[in-house]
Amino acid sequence: MKILRQGTLAAALVAGTLAGGAALAAESDGTAWSDIRGSLFGDTAMKDDGLIAIEAPYRAEDAAIVPVTIRTDVPQGDPRHVAKITLVIDENPAPVAATFTLGEGANVTAIATRVRINAYTPVHVVAELSDGSLHVAETYVKASGGCAAPMAKDQDVADANIGKMKMRWFGRPLTDIDATPDPIHATAQLMIRHPNNSGLQMDQVTRFYIPAHFVSNVTIRQGNALVLTMEGGISISEDPNFRFAFVSNGEPLVVEATDTEGNDFGQTFPVPGS
């Protein structure tokens, strides 16, 4: 019971932070999403118009590492940009998996990560545009037990490697940035070694619950320009990784991360070919 109360408290804290003081929706249809939506966004209307999309397996192979991809599609010529993306796993103990704040000039069009799914659930993603409008997409995932699933690695080994990072690049080399007038579209994947303990996992030897300990914030910049920030919770899988498509300005990617125990991690990654 103590662990469940901690999970509920975590959800409330995350929701309160993200909602920015928004009032609860006036009415609820009894679903988890209705209550979560009200606590995060109040009565603000949402459009399901294809501006944002979410991809996830209908039946996950492993509930502890379910791949999720978010894509945005702001029409060409539209002066607005996506300012924030909120990923919600409705039936998880802490439903808000992550909130991404996007840099205006980075033009992030896709984000992929891996999440824990605790029970059969709808998964929602909400994009907030620069004009304040909200756009939503939904999918459904059949998986269960992901938040309480044992770690894939030994806890001591995981703790010894906390904070180690790698960056993987996809597509053509980002060379001759200044030689072309067109934007350089790039895709990179940040990988962080961290147990990301959910607080719901049991130590198989001691039979005690492992305290929650996870990466709570990540900031990625190219030079001084923001690419994205991530505010995360217990639903992000062990060894968090984030693959993102963006427009490169040729500057190195600077990563800063913090976990719930106050540990700070950071690394700079030069663009390929520089």
Side-chain angles (χ1 to χ4, degrees):
M1 292 301 295
K2 183 179 180 181
I3 295 299
L4 292 177
R5 287 198 296 270
Q6 288 175 342
T8 302
L9 176 59
L13 290 174
V14 174
T17 300
L18 298 177
L24 291 175
E27 297 182 2
S28 170
D29 61 9
T31 64
W33 170 241
S34 178
D35 293 337
I36 295 164
R37 170 180 170 166
S39 67
L40 293 176
F41 306 104
D43 293 322
T44 305
M46 291 185 180
K47 298 179 181 179
D48 183 0
D49 55 3
L51 190 143
I52 191 164
I54 183 168
E55 303 167 9
Y58 178 68
R59 189 179 296 277
E61 294 184 5
D62 188 336
I65 47 171
V66 180
V68 173
T69 300
I70 301 164
R71 303 186 190 278
T72 63
D73 185 19
V74 178
Q76 188 172 3
D78 192 323
R80 302 173 301 171
H81 66 274
V82 178
K84 184 179 291 187
I85 294 173
T86 304
L87 175 62
V88 177
I89 304 171
D90 296 15
E91 298 296 339
N92 271 15
V96 179
T99 297
F100 301 92
T101 301
L102 309 183
E104 180 176 357
N107 191 28
V108 175
T109 55
I111 301 173
T113 188
R114 302 178 306 181
V115 298
R116 298 178 170 117
I117 302 289
N118 208 52
Y120 286 22
T121 183
V123 180
H124 288 87
V125 63
V126 178
E128 180 179 342
L129 269 58
S130 52
D131 66 351
S133 63
L134 300 179
H135 304 257
V136 65
E138 176 184 357
T139 190
Y140 193 88
V141 177
K142 287 188 173 183
S144 60
C147 291
M151 293 177 55
K153 299 182 180 67
D154 178 81
Q155 184 72 49
D156 291 337
V157 173
D159 289 342
N161 290 289
I162 280 181
K164 292 183 178 179
M165 299 182 184
K166 290 184 179 180
M167 188 73 73
R168 183 182 180 190
W169 296 84
F170 301 84
R172 65 188 180 88
L174 303 181
T175 55
D176 299 327
I177 290 289
D178 298 326
T180 175
D182 299 321
I184 303 296
H185 296 276
T187 300
Q189 182 178 20
L190 171 66
M191 295 163 278
I192 305 174
R193 288 294 185 93
H194 200 287
N196 251 41
N197 298 127
S198 67
L200 301 171
Q201 298 155 300
M202 182 178 290
D203 186 304
Q204 300 303 302
V205 176
T206 66
R207 309 303 292 175
F208 290 117
Y209 285 104
I210 302 168
H213 179 203
F214 53 89
V215 175
S216 54
N217 296 89
V218 176
T219 299
I220 305 174
R221 300 181 183 275
Q222 41 184 349
N224 293 322
L226 178 66
V227 177
L228 63 83
T229 66
M230 187 282 308
E231 182 181 356
I234 66 170
S235 297
I236 299 297
S237 299
E238 178 182 348
D239 291 337
N241 76 76
F242 306 96
R243 180 167 170 166
F244 50 99
F246 68 109
V247 171
S248 173
N249 64 8
E251 295 290 329
L253 292 184
V254 181
V255 180
E256 297 175 343
T258 304
D259 70 15
T260 51
E261 292 190 1
N263 299 310
D264 295 320
F265 319 105
Q267 195 164 334
T268 298
F269 299 92
V271 299
S274 63

